[in-house]
Amino acid sequence: MDHRAEIREFLATRRAKITPEQVGLPAGTGLRRVPGLRREEVAVLAGVSTDWYVRLEKGHIDGVSDDVLDAVARALRLDDAERLHLFNLARTAKPQRVARRRKAPPTVRDSVRRIVDSMSTPAFVRNGRLDVLAVNPLGRALYAPAFEDAGRPVNMARFCFLDPAAQTFYPDWADVARATVAVLRAAAGRDPHHRELTDLVGELATRSEVFRTEWASHNVLLHQHGSKHFQHPLVGLIDVTFDSMDLPADPGLTLTAYSTEPGSPSEDALRLLASWTAAPADHH
């Protein structure tokens, strides 16, 4: 991925989302040539020169101070995920002669596997490119359609965009698709030289027009908590809340666990699914 293009397009797409009225600037007269704010308007809001901001939006971000990045983030009204993405782009923009690296296959420590297996709710560990590296029996049963593919590790992005079953499994598939791309985009900002991640993005962009369109939006997401909805082939609709926690001792790995509202039909459905879950989880 072209790092300067990433910076340029990210800032341009954020700028296009904001109108002058939203930030207290006069709309002016005549036809505006660009949607949202002009570069000079962002410069005014950030307290920098127009020439400086134009240079920044062209991708010249190496060496820019945190204070200036904060000012740009405020001017563009970036949320927490977008602000972090901007700082990640700045951090990884330092000149370096480094080829795309292929990392060693990720592993999950045995102690973490035991924790996941001991949980009574669906739980799994994933990496930044959404490979499922460890999953407990109930988590595997919940995501049964994804595990029907013999490929390992199961990749939730590949399932979402390339498996027709995903559009039935996720009642709100379009929202899931947008979130999936935004999580991958954020991961790419953290580690733009991760070869497996860029290979996955290239595969999905080639094979899925929806992915390609969403990737071009440059949206990012932290995806730490929220709700999910599944149309399970065995027990029907299940609504869950999820909480995701990074594993500090294992950089790049995230533990996600699901829960249901006590006394809800979804809790009953999950209990029924759990009663049918006898086989041990496949962690490979």
Side-chain angles (χ1 to χ4, degrees):
M1 289 179 280
D2 183 335
H3 199 73
R4 286 190 177 179
E6 289 291 308
I7 297 166
R8 179 178 66 249
E9 292 166 13
F10 175 67
L11 290 174
T13 54
R14 300 315 94 179
R15 179 164 54 83
K17 291 185 172 185
I18 305 173
T19 66
E21 292 83 358
Q22 287 177 306
V23 293
L25 293 175
T29 59
L31 181 66
R32 296 178 67 87
R33 293 182 298 171
V34 295
L37 295 177
R38 300 184 176 103
R39 291 187 181 92
E40 57 267 28
E41 291 168 334
V42 176
V44 168
L45 292 169
V48 299
S49 71
T50 298
D51 287 344
W52 187 93
Y53 180 76
V54 169
R55 178 176 170 79
L56 176 65
E57 198 171 291
K58 287 182 177 180
H60 300 282
I61 201 172
D62 177 42
V64 175
S65 71
D66 288 354
D67 287 344
V68 171
L69 290 177
D70 266 326
V72 171
R74 288 193 300 271
L76 293 173
R77 296 193 169 188
L78 302 187
D79 62 22
D80 289 344
E82 292 169 328
R83 180 184 179 280
L84 179 60
H85 188 61
L86 177 63
F87 274 74
N88 282 333
L89 291 175
R91 175 181 55 80
T92 57
K94 297 183 183 301
Q96 51 185 329
R97 295 184 179 277
V98 59
R100 291 193 311 160
R101 62 184 183 279
R102 188 173 295 280
K103 295 186 174 181
T107 59
V108 179
R109 289 179 292 115
D110 289 342
S111 60
V112 174
R113 291 184 185 277
R114 290 194 293 269
I115 291 171
V116 172
D117 285 340
S118 70
M119 298 177 74
S120 59
T121 60
F124 60 91
V125 175
R126 65 164 178 84
N127 59 16
R129 55 168 256 158
L130 304 183
D131 291 323
V132 177
L133 304 180
V135 59
N136 65 6
L138 189 51
R140 181 185 176 115
L142 178 61
Y143 276 100
F147 280 87
E148 288 181 2
D149 190 320
R152 292 292 184 273
V154 167
N155 181 270
M156 300 311 296
R158 192 176 283 115
F159 170 67
C160 179
F161 287 99
L162 304 183
D163 192 328
Q167 297 196 33
T168 300
F169 183 62
Y170 297 118
D172 52 350
W173 180 83
D175 292 336
V176 172
R178 281 191 290 271
T180 299
V181 176
V183 170
L184 289 180
R185 173 65 81 175
R190 291 191 298 272
D191 192 357
H193 303 294
H194 192 303
R195 184 170 180 177
E196 286 79 3
L197 176 57
T198 54
D199 287 350
L200 175 65
V201 169
E203 176 192 356
L204 296 176
T206 299
R207 300 177 62 185
S208 170
E209 182 178 355
V210 175
F211 180 90
R212 190 162 57 249
T213 299
E214 290 295 338
W215 186 258
S217 71
H218 286 262
N219 292 327
V220 291
L221 185 66
L222 295 178
H223 212 52
Q224 296 169 328
H225 59 85
S227 60
K228 285 183 177 291
H229 315 283
F230 307 102
Q231 185 63 42
H232 196 276
L234 295 180
V235 298
L237 184 64
I238 303 178
D239 298 321
V240 302
T241 56
F242 72 90
D243 289 275
S244 295
M245 297 146 278
D246 292 338
L247 300 177
D250 302 287
L253 298 187
T254 300
L255 169 63
T256 298
Y258 294 151
S259 62
T260 54
E261 188 71 25
S264 67
S266 292
E267 183 185 49
D268 293 339
L270 204 58
R271 283 178 175 171
L272 180 59
L273 189 61
S275 71
W276 292 341
T277 303
D282 179 2
H283 296 302
H284 304 289

